[in-house]
Amino acid sequence: MLGRQHEVLAFLSLALLLAPLVESLILLDRLLYLREQGFQCALVPLFDPRFSPRNLVLVAARAPLDGVLEGLEEDSSEEEEEEEEEEGAGGAAQPPGQGRG
C-alpha cells in the first residue's frame, strides 16, 4: 500500500477541497426543494466563516421570515456590542460555549 500512497494523498486532498462546495450545493438543493413546497427559506451565516466554512444554517417557515431574520440580526448586533464593551473595558472575551447560559 505504501507504493500507492501518492494516489491516496491526492484522493483525500481532492475530497477536502471539494467538501465545502458539495455541502453548499446540498444546502441550496434543500432550499430550492423547500421553496417549491411553499416554505419561506433563507441561508443565514451563524458566525464568521474564518472559524469554520460550515457556518450556514437553513431557516424555513411557512410564515414570512422577515420578522424572524430581523430578530437574528438584532441579537447578533447586541452580542457584538457586548463583546466590544468587554474588550474595551480590559476584560478578556470568553471562549465560545462559556459564560452565557
Side-chain angles (χ1 to χ4, degrees), residues 2-89:
L2 289 176
R4 299 184 70 181
Q5 178 179 358
H6 64 282
E7 292 175 7
V8 173
L9 180 63
F11 176 77
L12 292 177
S13 297
L14 280 174
L16 289 174
L17 287 172
L18 296 176
L21 174 67
V22 171
E23 290 171 3
S24 297
L25 290 174
I26 290 171
L27 280 173
L28 288 173
D29 180 59
R30 291 178 180 173
L31 181 128
L32 292 174
Y33 172 76
L34 288 170
R35 282 193 180 164
E36 289 174 359
Q37 300 302 314
F39 287 87
Q40 300 290 320
C41 303
L43 285 175
V44 181
L46 290 181
F47 49 85
D48 191 355
R50 289 180 291 168
F51 297 127
S52 173
R54 296 176 175 153
N55 68 330
L56 297 174
V57 63
L58 176 59
V59 179
R62 292 235 183 238
L65 289 176
D66 296 334
V68 174
L69 295 179
E70 287 174 7
L72 287 174
E73 290 174 4
E74 289 173 6
D75 289 344
S76 65
S77 63
E78 289 174 6
E79 290 176 3
E80 289 173 1
E81 290 173 3
E82 290 175 3
E83 290 174 1
E84 289 174 3
E85 289 175 4
E86 289 175 0
E87 291 175 4

